[in-house]
Amino acid sequence: MDVTFLLNGETTHVRNVQATQTLLDWLRETRGLSGTKEGCNEGDCGACSVVVQDEGGTKALNACILFMPQLQGKTVRTVEGVSGPDGELHPVQEAMIEHHGSQCGFCTPGFIASMVAAHSNGATDHDDQLAGNLCRCTGYAPIIRAAEAAQDQPVPTWVKDNLPTVEASSEFQPTSSDELAEIYAAHPDATLVAGATDVGLWVTKQLRALDPVIFLGRCADLKNISVSDTELSFGAMVDMNAMRAAIEPHHPFYGEMLRRYASTQIRNAATLGGNVANGSPIGDNPPALIALGATLHLRKGDTKRSMPIEDFFIAYGKQDRAPGEFVEKITIPRQEDRLKVYKLSKRFDQDISAVSGAFNISVSAGVVTSARIAFGGMAATPKRATKVEAALLGAKWSKEGIAPALAAFAEDYTPMSDMRASASYRLETARNLLRRYLLEDQGIAASVLEVSP
């Protein structure tokens, strides 16, 4: 594939690049830009962070799982390109020096890139912005002080790039869902790449050769978000940060779960469609979407079909999706907000769920009138708790009233034990999350962020 983008302000044309060539390897091995570091090579540590701009704005992304064709028509700034043309330091660089934000320096280029992106966007939630950048020797306090010191400084003109002009589309880089449908129908064995936060690891960790590859990043209509009187609609290419901004006003607990979804860099790349289509039993979005009664919309060629999202997940590694068929969008019916989403993980931020539970329960006159409950991490697929729901319907909304529903969890789920949690832990914490929902609904603080010894 041929790729055209701006690198540190200069138009760059790369010819015949391999589809799964990562930006990190190309920067270091081909261009000799070794400031961007390889740490984990899976999007966790942030040492490889770079600043990417496109029509959606300025973002920090992990270069280690960013494939070169994903840069088509974008701009990239590495740590070597954040200072001015005459050597002027960016405000975050000056602040990092002044506040002693670096010791060994291995992680520092990634921190600088994330801070530059946050500074360009006027973001001041520094703990969230830097949660995806790990430091083993400096400690985070000096780095946060540097971010705070730089936050009110003006954005330097030299980091504001104009996007390069590129060709309308290419064979494996469609610019619309119509083009994607045509290409995918002709190549149903192709691997679809949305944000590459999952597929990227197939290459960097499993060393898999993927061919052919269709990149979805330029399908503008798949990034649409719309809100009507009856539904919320999200295109499959909506990234997690955009999803969070759109869903939070309607379902705040869902938005808070997305804040804890990986890191800023991953949320900038990961897509809603990808998180659903890969069918992971511990994907964070499916339980919430199932609890909200979401509908999944699929397309193959000119044929479209829709289904309740819980019906998409058939078995571990198997989804109801035919060769050449792709997720086009997801719709959620407008409703009173009764949703609460709970994510249990060993680390509070940027970690895989051991158990994730979503509860959408309506109560009238002290009696449960409706219930939709779903869990991730409790079965081979994201799964609805139908027996628990049935036990709740018509029950009193009280500690005693939910007792039969607590017993029904063992009928809905037979969880496994693994490195993240034991089966008994998963089953008991699932029950405890229903208890927590009840307590919080009664105005009793139950969150670890609210309760202290």
Side-chain angles (χ1 to χ4, degrees):
M1 292 185 182
D2 296 342
V3 183
T4 298
F5 61 100
L6 258 63
L7 175 62
N8 294 332
E10 296 184 1
T11 300
T12 302
H13 304 284
V14 184
R15 306 299 182 190
N16 299 318
V17 67
Q18 185 179 354
T20 55
Q21 167 82 63
T22 66
L23 174 61
L24 175 63
D25 287 348
W26 183 84
L27 287 172
R28 294 179 61 83
E29 298 172 5
T30 302
R31 290 302 296 262
L33 295 174
S34 57
T36 305
K37 299 294 191 267
E38 178 180 318
C40 65
N41 210 24
E42 59 187 37
D44 279 340
C45 74
C48 68
S49 300
V50 294
V51 183
V52 177
Q53 298 177 53
D54 59 16
E55 296 86 349
T58 302
K59 304 174 181 179
L61 293 174
N62 293 305
C64 69
I65 51 173
L66 186 62
F67 297 135
M68 291 294 289
Q70 292 178 271
L71 301 175
Q72 180 77 330
K74 301 183 180 183
T75 79
V76 177
R77 282 196 178 267
T78 66
V79 68
E80 293 92 347
V82 300
S83 57
D86 296 319
E88 310 96 316
L89 293 182
H90 190 284
V92 301
Q93 292 176 304
E94 292 182 333
M96 285 285 274
I97 294 169
E98 182 179 350
H99 293 273
H100 309 287
S102 176
Q103 286 186 30
C104 83
F106 187 90
C107 69
T108 304
F111 270 100
I112 293 295
S114 292
M115 293 164 75
V116 167
H119 183 262
S120 295
N121 293 323
T124 58
D125 53 337
H126 304 302
D127 286 348
D128 286 345
Q129 295 296 320
L130 298 178
N133 293 83
L134 306 184
C135 176
R136 299 183 66 179
C137 54
T138 302
Y140 298 99
I143 299 170
I144 295 298
R145 286 196 289 269
E148 292 171 343
Q151 68 185 30
D152 295 326
Q153 298 299 313
V155 178
T157 56
W158 62 79
V159 296
K160 301 176 182 178
D161 294 316
N162 294 319
L163 299 180
T165 300
V166 297
E167 62 184 36
S169 63
S170 61
E171 184 180 10
F172 293 103
Q173 287 197 327
T175 58
S176 69
S177 56
D178 288 342
E179 290 184 7
L180 169 60
E182 182 179 354
I183 295 170
Y184 199 24
H187 302 276
D189 59 333
T191 299
L192 299 184
V193 172
T197 56
D198 187 14
V199 175
L201 274 67
W202 299 359
V203 174
T204 64
K205 295 300 180 180
Q206 300 177 18
L207 306 180
R208 288 167 59 176
L210 308 179
D211 184 49
V213 180
I214 301 174
F215 292 92
L216 313 186
R218 300 181 68 200
C219 293
D221 58 332
L222 293 183
K223 300 177 183 180
N224 289 338
I225 299 174
S226 64
V227 178
S228 71
D229 293 338
T230 58
E231 69 178 20
L232 309 172
S233 177
F234 299 90
M237 283 297 295
V238 170
D239 68 60
M240 290 299 99
N241 279 327
M243 176 75 178
R244 176 190 170 193
I247 201 72
E248 203 159 36
H250 305 279
H251 301 290
F253 266 74
Y254 195 165
E256 171 58 16
M257 183 276 288
L258 290 176
R259 186 192 67 78
R260 293 177 56 201
Y261 181 109
S263 64
T264 296
Q265 294 95 315
I266 295 297
R267 291 194 301 271
N268 280 332
T271 65
L272 179 60
N275 194 232
V276 171
N278 69 10
S280 170
I282 51 174
D284 284 329
N285 281 285
L289 294 169
I290 292 170
L292 288 171
T295 298
L296 186 67
H297 302 267
L298 298 164
R299 178 174 180 179
K300 180 178 181 180
D302 294 329
T303 302
K304 300 183 180 184
R305 65 186 178 113
S306 302
M307 69 177 73
I309 195 165
E310 60 261 37
D311 293 345
F312 180 66
F313 308 104
I314 300 173
Y316 182 76
K318 184 178 181 182
Q319 296 83 47
D320 184 4
R321 185 171 69 88
E325 188 174 38
F326 62 93
V327 176
E328 191 168 35
K329 66 178 179 178
I330 294 168
T331 55
I332 301 170
R334 294 287 297 273
Q335 57 200 274
E336 176 191 5
D337 180 38
R338 294 287 298 171
L339 178 73
K340 292 194 175 181
V341 186
Y342 303 116
K343 174 185 170 89
L344 301 180
S345 55
K346 290 187 175 182
R347 296 191 307 268
F348 191 79
D349 288 303
Q350 200 187 350
D351 200 4
I352 297 172
S353 296
V355 176
S356 58
F359 298 80
N360 190 6
I361 301 171
S362 295
V363 178
S364 178
V367 174
V368 176
T369 56
S370 68
R372 289 185 66 93
I373 300 170
F375 274 84
M378 293 285 287
T381 64
K383 186 183 176 186
R384 190 171 171 185
T386 54
K387 299 291 178 57
V388 175
E389 294 172 2
L392 282 173
L393 287 177
K396 289 186 177 180
W397 190 227
S398 65
K399 179 180 178 181
E400 296 74 22
I402 68 170
L406 295 175
F409 272 96
E411 299 179 53
D412 276 316
Y413 300 108
T414 307
M416 63 178 290
S417 295
D418 60 19
M419 63 185 297
R420 283 182 287 276
S422 67
S424 60
Y425 172 87
R426 286 186 159 107
L427 196 56
E428 187 58 30
T429 53
R431 295 187 180 109
N432 286 342
L433 292 181
L434 177 57
R435 294 185 177 106
R436 176 177 171 181
Y437 185 105
L438 170 64
L439 292 173
E440 291 181 338
D441 200 42
Q442 295 174 340
I444 300 171
S447 169
V448 294
L449 301 181
E450 299 171 328
V451 178
S452 58

